[in-house]
Amino acid sequence: MSRLRKALGVETLPLLAMLVLVVVVFALATPRFLTAANLGSMAVQLPVLGLLTLAMLVPILSGGLNLAIIYQANLSGLTLAWVLLSFGGPEAGFGAFALGTVAAIAVGALSGLVMGLVVAYIGAHPILVSLAMMIFLRGLGEFMTRGGDISGFPDIMRVIGHGDVLGIPVPLLIFLAAALIWHIMLRRTRHGFSVYMVGSNIDAAEYSGLHTKRTLTLIYTISGMICAIAGILMAARFNSVRVGHGEALLLVTVLACFLGGIDPFGGFGRVLPVVLALMILQALSSGLNLLGANQHLSTAVWGLFLIGVMALRWAVGQWTSRRRRET
Amino acid sequence: MTDTSEQTGDALRLRGICKTFGGVRALDDVSFDVARGEVHCLAGENGCGKSTLIKIVTGVYTPEAGAEMTYFGERLDGITPNVARARGIAVIWQDLALFPHMTVAENIAFDEMVGPLPRLTRPGQSRGRAGEVLRRLGVTLDLDAPLNSLPIAQRQIVAIARALMGDARLIFMDEPTASLTQSETDGLLEIVRGLSADGVAVVFVSHRLAEVLEIASRVTVLRDGKLVGVYPTEGMTQARLGHLMTGTELEQAVTARDRSAAPPVLEVQGLSRAGEFHDVSLTIREGEVLGLTGLIGAGRTELAHALIGMRRPESGRVLLNGREIRPRSIRDAIREGIAYVSEDRLSLGLIQPQSISDNTSISVLDRLLNGMGLISSGQKTDLVQHWIEELAVKIGTPDDAVSTLSGGNQQRVVLAKWLATEPRLLILDSPTVGVDVGARAGIFRIVRQLADQGLAILLISDEVTEVLHNADRVLHMRDGRLRAEHDPRATSVDMLEAEIYA
């Protein structure tokens, strides 16, 4: 048991229990919750939020934040859209899609790289830097699209957004693959190790020989790349791109990180609990929706839920420290 | 130990103090007396019960039944921290508990400005009273300077002034000199003497035995929660006190050997950087421990930083094993085989909240990669296990946060981290700050073993005894220049101190 806890992290089992609880409660409340249709729609809705949360997670682990994720995703989506449109829109081939994807990821990476360089070498606070980048990208995007939608994509975009492989929706596959890569990156690579150390104490990390500036630069660059993937997925799901799409998700990604046990001050946290936290949030919103609740009510429930989890963590902390003192 | 005439003048008198935490007997039938206006030292290794005793006197903990506590003749029962403060018992913890962004005056008058009920503060009046207290201490500080603009030594004085503002009659000071230089320490000791002359009793907790013997009239020694005894400092030696604290004989002898025949590892030739160090030339040979001492601000740490690429020298050369090196970052220095143990273990030496395992492997991740470029957890475990055994680090599990370890064991983890890089030159910058007496001896035993294995070691410290006992040669640095070289076998602590503080 203790070995399992160690392998999974202390947050995983409680969150898993909570997920089961939420699913059981909704399954009892409405027979429509555990249907293929509902599960399918959850599986299609989760990935965009999930990918954006992965983009938020690593900057938070390093003691920072990336407020620009939504507009990085939007601008990357726009880039893909323009490439597709210039190759004929609905008639664009796979080559155009591949080119557009590469260009979109490059745009995401570039916007991240700029933030990373400023954070690492100028030493500005990530909140300020990413806020500036967010406003810049939003303004730039709205200027170039005149606030309108861009649509008219080839069929391959439908496969990305709505297709499935062996019954598993493609967006979910993309998200799970990304989450697995994130897990390995954080737990098993030098970069991941550096992220945790930089998040705890960047000066001591530098004195220990870690290349902290390169680590910070890479963190924001990779964050921008995963934003681009999210942006492509959004374009595929809505079959259109508009600057401002997904704006409401920005703070939800922060919520999911904290719900998943990421230390708000950096240095501690894992991917798996965050994935579970995302599933809980998705189950709550879908379940309430099926019960006929208003979308706004489910947002309110998310907030309450995080407060409840914080209180619960505090209570568990008190309990374990008392037990430790008594033994 | 105390006679009756002194007892009537006791500021504090404790009898039969016991305290148990979760099965561990932190204090076992301890008695403790402090006379009015006395400077009394409370000595013992980490975990001996010093802090618990202080917390009992100040009402943080309640002693077990049977304890007798009197304070200026009155019984001291069921006190809380607020009552203790109101009755004039103050503690200055090592972290000072001051407010970095508030001014000196606001910090000193802090207790006047807070209270159970909201009320208007009178900044002018508080400021005036704060100024008076500082005058009483005989120091001049800018009352309006924000605290974080002051050096640690002056913050210490602010903390003392804050205690006096509350009319303290008994002040506990927990390692007040741990981060002070020798001259700052002298200044602080002078203030403590002044307090004592004013009738304020001071209980001094310190790991630096020399200053314990200098300042205190009596010393109470605790070991493993038990009272070892109360001793007058008159006629006490550092060696005997160390023996009483640890229960073991400590090596307090000069260990210098002649290494002049060994090949040089590090050669520094005319190294200069404006305002920091000038024309520094030195050689460290294989298996040699070179001591570098002098006042803080003499340029010692700056010189070390130049050797590890944290600073660029403006002229001069550095040769390692006969080849010129110009490290541009600490990573370059590590590649060249130079390891640097920082003087600031808490914020630079270790990443305190992270695990022992991560802190040990942080410097050698490159060597722990498997065929796919991923960190091999097996190799990492082996490496950590190897160094924990090699340096006899006492730990729970390697996954525990490094902050859970004592100062001495933390320093061993720092050494493990650097030895894992297989350095040829090890720079130790004040390696025993915050490490207690018994553990210091253990650290220097390791240092000596490393030298015997051929490692070249630069030992930087402002504790003259430490360099004299553990180095093969001692260099004295002042105002950025090397002033003199000494053979520890041909000089004494007193002679060297006289030269440094001249």
Side-chain angles (χ1 to χ4, degrees), chain A residues 41-101:
Chain A
S41 88
M42 280 169 64
V44 172
Q45 285 168 24
L46 177 73
V48 169
L49 176 62
L51 291 170
L52 290 170
T53 303
L54 292 179
M56 182 61 87
L57 188 155
V58 184
I60 292 184
L61 270 181
S62 74
L65 204 65
N66 182 0
L67 295 174
I69 52 172
I70 304 297
Y71 297 100
Q72 288 182 286
N74 288 163
L75 269 260
S76 302
L78 274 183
T79 309
L80 171 65
W82 280 324
V83 172
L84 290 175
L85 290 188
S86 58
F87 280 91
E91 279 79 47
F94 182 79
F97 171 75
L99 179 67
T101 300

Side-chain angles (χ1 to χ4, degrees), chain B residues 284 289-293 426-431 444 447 457-461 466-471:
Chain B
I284 309 180
V289 182
L290 179 67
L292 181 62
T293 189
L426 177 64
I427 303 173
L428 300 168
D429 196 350
S430 306
F444 282 116
V447 169
I457 295 169
L458 178 61
L459 170 63
I460 302 175
S461 174
E466 195 165 278
V467 273
L468 209 61
H469 285 157
N470 297 294

Side-chain angles (χ1 to χ4, degrees), chain A residues 19-281:
Chain A
L19 177 62
V20 170
L21 181 75
V22 169
V23 168
V24 167
V25 167
F26 280 119
L28 292 176
T30 163
R32 286 187 297 158
F33 189 76
L34 282 184
T35 56
N38 182 48
L39 292 179
S41 88
M42 280 169 64
V44 172
Q45 285 168 24
L46 177 73
V48 169
L49 176 62
L51 291 170
L52 290 170
T53 303
L54 292 179
M56 182 61 87
L57 188 155
V58 184
I60 292 184
L61 270 181
S62 74
L65 204 65
N66 182 0
L67 295 174
I69 52 172
I70 304 297
Y71 297 100
Q72 288 182 286
N74 288 163
L75 269 260
S76 302
L78 274 183
T79 309
L80 171 65
W82 280 324
V83 172
L84 290 175
L85 290 188
S86 58
F87 280 91
E91 279 79 47
F94 182 79
F97 171 75
L99 179 67
T101 300
V102 170
I105 292 175
V107 165
L110 182 68
S111 57
L113 175 70
V114 171
M115 282 193 288
L117 288 173
V118 174
V119 170
Y121 290 88
I122 298 180
H125 197 286
I127 290 183
L128 301 183
V129 178
S130 63
L131 184 67
M133 181 57 80
M134 159 181 153
I135 290 169
F136 167 70
L137 292 178
R138 183 172 68 189
L140 184 70
E142 282 172 349
F143 168 73
M144 290 194 299
T145 60
R146 305 283 181 246
D149 285 31
I150 294 183
S151 56
F153 300 146
D155 278 349
I156 185 158
M157 290 294 275
R158 283 187 53 81
V159 177
I160 302 279
H162 303 276
D164 64 78
V165 175
L166 302 172
I168 306 170
V170 173
L172 187 65
L173 283 177
I174 293 175
F175 169 62
L176 291 179
L180 181 66
I181 293 170
W182 251 234
H183 174 79
I184 294 171
M185 173 177 81
L186 286 173
R187 306 302 307 180
R188 296 292 300 279
T189 68
R190 270 182 299 175
H191 173 63
F193 184 93
S194 301
V195 169
Y196 287 101
M197 298 302 134
V198 163
S200 271
N201 182 340
I202 189 166
D203 295 328
E206 176 72 24
Y207 267 80
S208 299
L210 296 183
H211 207 311
T212 55
K213 291 188 166 74
R214 196 161 68 196
T215 301
L216 282 174
T217 310
L218 201 54
I219 286 169
Y220 288 91
T221 308
I222 295 176
S223 173
M225 290 166 75
I226 197 77
C227 285
I229 308 279
I232 294 168
L233 209 54
M234 278 157 88
R237 286 244 305 123
F238 303 126
N239 203 28
S240 75
V241 179
R242 185 172 55 81
V243 174
H245 250 164
E247 242 173 338
L249 296 180
L250 174 61
L251 291 179
V252 180
T253 62
V254 181
L255 176 87
C257 287
F258 294 163
L259 194 58
I262 303 295
D263 189 323
F265 300 104
F268 296 92
R270 288 172 176 237
V271 174
L272 183 55
V274 172
V275 172
L276 289 173
L278 283 165
M279 289 178 169
I280 292 172
L281 292 178

Side-chain angles (χ1 to χ4, degrees), chain A residues 194 202-212 214, chain B residues 310 329-332 334-335 348 362-364 366 417-418 421:
Chain A
S194 301
I202 189 166
D203 295 328
E206 176 72 24
Y207 267 80
S208 299
L210 296 183
H211 207 311
T212 55
R214 196 161 68 196
Chain B
M310 299 294 276
S329 72
I330 194 147
R331 288 168 290 285
D332 288 348
I334 293 171
R335 261 190 300 278
L348 296 179
I362 187 167
S363 55
V364 286
D366 297 3
K417 161 170 96 175
W418 289 119
T421 65

Side-chain angles (χ1 to χ4, degrees), chain B residues 76-92:
Chain B
L76 200 60
D77 294 322
I79 50 161
T80 64
N82 280 330
V83 172
R85 202 174 308 129
R87 294 181 68 169
I89 304 177
V91 189
I92 300 171

